[in-house]
Amino acid sequence: MPRLSLFVLALCALAACSSAHPAPHEAPRVGAAEGALSVGSVSVQNANATCPAGSAAGALCAVVQVACSGIPTLGATLVVNNPAGVSGLAGKARYLMPYFSGGPGTGLAAPEQQIIPALTAAQVKTVQVVWQQVGSPGGWPATPTHSIIAGACREATITQWLDAQMGGQVATCAQGFSAGSAGLAYALAYYNAGAWLDAVQLLSGPPLARMDLGCAAPPQQTATTCGVAYSLGYESNHAPLVDGLEGTTGCTTAPSDPAKLAGDSVLTGPSPVLGYAYTKIGIATCSQQSAAAGMSALYESALTQAGTSVVRACIAGGCQGENVLADQAGRDAVVAQFLAICN
């Protein structure tokens, strides 16, 4: 059958790529949270795609399309790194880790690649999701209606689909960096992603926990974690990204619509669900100043109040700003936390 791999056949044999059901490794879960938003669907476009520059040696890649109601369909390249003894795109490992990078999620960053050997050595199959760049800033959060909550349907949908197609024999645990971690926080809060994710690790995030506070004019509020009082005000390179995604202006100087920013934030959107009985949460941030660390403190506090257990790693050494993977000590701490919560 020309140009149709066994991977595509296996995926197409399923009735619906996005249908929710417990993976074989999971205990039965409760149904969809009341008021949860609906996930979309995934279709495979190319199961033998060329991997993007910067992919790890031996990676396998596929191109998919993610469709969610009310927003444009968006393409993504899946960069799959298998542990020893696991073959092919759909081969199942002990653990599965969907990964989402920072910003709009449209590229691979070098620090991310440096933890792949340690993860695969621990029988973790990693799937880096690289979103198609459409416009600016593009990626998963961008929508014509300037609603990041709506855009987060894409991260929710692809994680559910990956769990259904290649979920870990023991657990499926997602990891996100900076804005990528925010996408996972939205997926949990608004799309019931706790029904298929056994654990979520948030690296330097979620920075979009309270966009109204991040974009507030000076003096900005602070939040304390790791023994440090962090300013919540967004850095100069992040404020324009928030304005671009939200269709606002004046982030950190004279925000044009604080109410919109609050209403589209992880913690203050419409009825977020913050209690996760089946999903373990890990947060790793630098011990030095970053708005993302401050936002993570707000997020941790809100989840704790909702009854969710949160494990935190405060990374010192060469950890600057959001770069928790800056040195080997940071990379070791991130991998250790991931393996501790993903079981």
mmCIF file of all heavy atoms in Angstrom, residues 19-20 58 73 103 113 123 130 138 143 170 198 206 214 266 271 295 302 317 322 331 333:
data_model
loop_
_atom_site.group_PDB
_atom_site.id
_atom_site.type_symbol
_atom_site.label_atom_id
_atom_site.label_comp_id
_atom_site.label_asym_id
_atom_site.label_seq_id
_atom_site.Cartn_x
_atom_site.Cartn_y
_atom_site.Cartn_z
ATOM 1 N N SER A 19 -11.437 10.829 20.540
ATOM 2 C CA SER A 19 -12.422 10.303 21.471
ATOM 3 C C SER A 19 -11.778 10.001 22.814
ATOM 4 O O SER A 19 -10.718 9.422 22.895
ATOM 5 C CB SER A 19 -13.061 9.034 20.908
ATOM 6 O OG SER A 19 -12.081 8.060 20.657
ATOM 7 N N ALA A 20 -12.462 10.375 23.890
ATOM 8 C CA ALA A 20 -11.894 10.230 25.231
ATOM 9 C C ALA A 20 -12.214 8.852 25.792
ATOM 10 O O ALA A 20 -13.362 8.426 25.803
ATOM 11 C CB ALA A 20 -12.467 11.307 26.161
ATOM 12 N N GLY A 58 18.326 10.109 15.397
ATOM 13 C CA GLY A 58 17.457 8.943 15.465
ATOM 14 C C GLY A 58 15.995 9.248 15.669
ATOM 15 O O GLY A 58 15.177 8.321 15.757
ATOM 16 N N THR A 73 -7.823 25.220 11.838
ATOM 17 C CA THR A 73 -7.036 24.009 11.971
ATOM 18 C C THR A 73 -5.557 24.370 11.885
ATOM 19 O O THR A 73 -5.157 25.218 11.096
ATOM 20 C CB THR A 73 -7.409 23.009 10.867
ATOM 21 O OG1 THR A 73 -8.785 22.636 11.046
ATOM 22 C CG2 THR A 73 -6.539 21.768 10.915
ATOM 23 N N GLY A 103 7.098 30.115 24.218
ATOM 24 C CA GLY A 103 6.565 31.012 23.203
ATOM 25 C C GLY A 103 5.379 30.378 22.499
ATOM 26 O O GLY A 103 4.587 29.657 23.111
ATOM 27 N N GLN A 113 16.740 19.533 24.115
ATOM 28 C CA GLN A 113 17.348 18.338 23.547
ATOM 29 C C GLN A 113 18.302 17.655 24.523
ATOM 30 O O GLN A 113 18.528 16.453 24.440
ATOM 31 C CB GLN A 113 18.118 18.701 22.272
ATOM 32 C CG GLN A 113 17.304 19.461 21.227
ATOM 33 C CD GLN A 113 16.081 18.686 20.803
ATOM 34 O OE1 GLN A 113 14.980 18.930 21.265
ATOM 35 N NE2 GLN A 113 16.269 17.720 19.935
ATOM 36 N N GLN A 123 13.285 4.850 30.017
ATOM 37 C CA GLN A 123 12.138 4.261 29.318
ATOM 38 C C GLN A 123 10.988 5.247 29.127
ATOM 39 O O GLN A 123 9.808 4.892 29.198
ATOM 40 C CB GLN A 123 11.654 3.007 30.037
ATOM 41 C CG GLN A 123 12.480 1.756 29.716
ATOM 42 C CD GLN A 123 12.353 1.361 28.237
ATOM 43 O OE1 GLN A 123 11.273 1.078 27.738
ATOM 44 N NE2 GLN A 123 13.485 1.373 27.526
ATOM 45 N N VAL A 130 5.857 20.448 17.667
ATOM 46 C CA VAL A 130 6.324 21.689 17.051
ATOM 47 C C VAL A 130 5.188 22.230 16.183
ATOM 48 O O VAL A 130 4.864 21.671 15.130
ATOM 49 C CB VAL A 130 7.584 21.454 16.194
ATOM 50 C CG1 VAL A 130 8.073 22.775 15.598
ATOM 51 C CG2 VAL A 130 8.676 20.797 17.031
ATOM 52 N N GLY A 138 1.623 33.442 16.078
ATOM 53 C CA GLY A 138 1.325 32.110 15.575
ATOM 54 C C GLY A 138 1.344 31.048 16.657
ATOM 55 O O GLY A 138 1.297 31.327 17.852
ATOM 56 N N THR A 143 -5.365 32.790 17.885
ATOM 57 C CA THR A 143 -6.689 32.586 17.310
ATOM 58 C C THR A 143 -7.204 33.916 16.762
ATOM 59 O O THR A 143 -6.800 34.984 17.240
ATOM 60 C CB THR A 143 -7.701 32.080 18.350
ATOM 61 O OG1 THR A 143 -7.938 33.111 19.321
ATOM 62 C CG2 THR A 143 -7.190 30.833 19.065
ATOM 63 N N VAL A 170 2.813 2.494 31.672
ATOM 64 C CA VAL A 170 2.590 2.847 33.073
ATOM 65 C C VAL A 170 1.881 4.191 33.190
ATOM 66 O O VAL A 170 0.913 4.327 33.942
ATOM 67 C CB VAL A 170 3.922 2.876 33.854
ATOM 68 C CG1 VAL A 170 3.709 3.420 35.264
ATOM 69 C CG2 VAL A 170 4.535 1.485 33.905
ATOM 70 N N ASP A 198 -1.549 11.580 33.492
ATOM 71 C CA ASP A 198 -1.252 11.097 34.836
ATOM 72 C C ASP A 198 -0.409 12.085 35.632
ATOM 73 O O ASP A 198 -0.442 12.079 36.861
ATOM 74 C CB ASP A 198 -0.525 9.753 34.754
ATOM 75 C CG ASP A 198 -1.394 8.694 34.090
ATOM 76 O OD1 ASP A 198 -2.343 8.232 34.741
ATOM 77 O OD2 ASP A 198 -1.136 8.351 32.930
ATOM 78 N N PRO A 206 2.991 28.146 35.103
ATOM 79 C CA PRO A 206 2.507 28.762 33.876
ATOM 80 C C PRO A 206 2.555 30.291 33.931
ATOM 81 O O PRO A 206 1.978 30.904 34.836
ATOM 82 C CB PRO A 206 1.049 28.282 33.803
ATOM 83 C CG PRO A 206 0.642 28.128 35.244
ATOM 84 C CD PRO A 206 1.880 27.701 35.980
ATOM 85 N N GLY A 214 0.367 40.350 35.245
ATOM 86 C CA GLY A 214 1.624 40.418 34.502
ATOM 87 C C GLY A 214 1.744 41.653 33.653
ATOM 88 O O GLY A 214 2.847 42.160 33.430
ATOM 89 N N VAL A 266 -5.340 31.637 33.068
ATOM 90 C CA VAL A 266 -5.553 30.282 33.584
ATOM 91 C C VAL A 266 -6.412 30.287 34.845
ATOM 92 O O VAL A 266 -7.372 29.514 34.967
ATOM 93 C CB VAL A 266 -4.198 29.596 33.883
ATOM 94 C CG1 VAL A 266 -4.421 28.254 34.580
ATOM 95 C CG2 VAL A 266 -3.384 29.407 32.618
ATOM 96 N N SER A 271 -14.772 29.799 35.198
ATOM 97 C CA SER A 271 -14.915 28.578 36.003
ATOM 98 C C SER A 271 -13.807 27.551 35.783
ATOM 99 O O SER A 271 -14.065 26.408 35.381
ATOM 100 C CB SER A 271 -16.282 27.923 35.715
ATOM 101 O OG SER A 271 -17.338 28.817 35.972
ATOM 102 N N MET A 295 4.343 33.875 38.767
ATOM 103 C CA MET A 295 3.062 33.333 38.318
ATOM 104 C C MET A 295 2.885 31.894 38.791
ATOM 105 O O MET A 295 1.782 31.466 39.158
ATOM 106 C CB MET A 295 2.972 33.394 36.793
ATOM 107 C CG MET A 295 2.861 34.796 36.225
ATOM 108 S SD MET A 295 1.252 35.534 36.586
ATOM 109 C CE MET A 295 1.523 37.199 35.938
ATOM 110 N N ALA A 302 -3.233 28.408 44.243
ATOM 111 C CA ALA A 302 -4.620 28.144 43.845
ATOM 112 C C ALA A 302 -4.895 26.646 43.775
ATOM 113 O O ALA A 302 -5.953 26.173 44.208
ATOM 114 C CB ALA A 302 -4.911 28.804 42.500
ATOM 115 N N GLY A 317 22.125 27.656 41.114
ATOM 116 C CA GLY A 317 23.265 27.474 40.217
ATOM 117 C C GLY A 317 23.200 28.412 39.028
ATOM 118 O O GLY A 317 23.019 29.623 39.169
ATOM 119 N N GLU A 322 14.080 32.203 33.044
ATOM 120 C CA GLU A 322 13.236 31.017 32.905
ATOM 121 C C GLU A 322 14.023 29.754 32.572
ATOM 122 O O GLU A 322 13.445 28.664 32.520
ATOM 123 C CB GLU A 322 12.189 31.245 31.807
ATOM 124 C CG GLU A 322 11.178 32.330 32.118
ATOM 125 C CD GLU A 322 10.075 32.404 31.085
ATOM 126 O OE1 GLU A 322 10.154 31.684 30.063
ATOM 127 O OE2 GLU A 322 9.125 33.174 31.295
ATOM 128 N N ARG A 331 19.244 20.451 34.777
ATOM 129 C CA ARG A 331 18.696 19.373 33.949
ATOM 130 C C ARG A 331 18.456 18.117 34.784
ATOM 131 O O ARG A 331 17.430 17.439 34.644
ATOM 132 C CB ARG A 331 19.634 19.089 32.775
ATOM 133 C CG ARG A 331 19.707 20.255 31.792
ATOM 134 C CD ARG A 331 20.440 19.897 30.525
ATOM 135 N NE ARG A 331 21.886 19.806 30.696
ATOM 136 C CZ ARG A 331 22.734 20.826 30.570
ATOM 137 N NH1 ARG A 331 22.262 22.033 30.293
ATOM 138 N NH2 ARG A 331 24.041 20.663 30.712
ATOM 139 N N ALA A 333 17.816 18.021 37.987
ATOM 140 C CA ALA A 333 16.686 18.270 38.885
ATOM 141 C C ALA A 333 15.357 18.128 38.149
ATOM 142 O O ALA A 333 14.387 17.575 38.687
ATOM 143 C CB ALA A 333 16.810 19.665 39.503
#
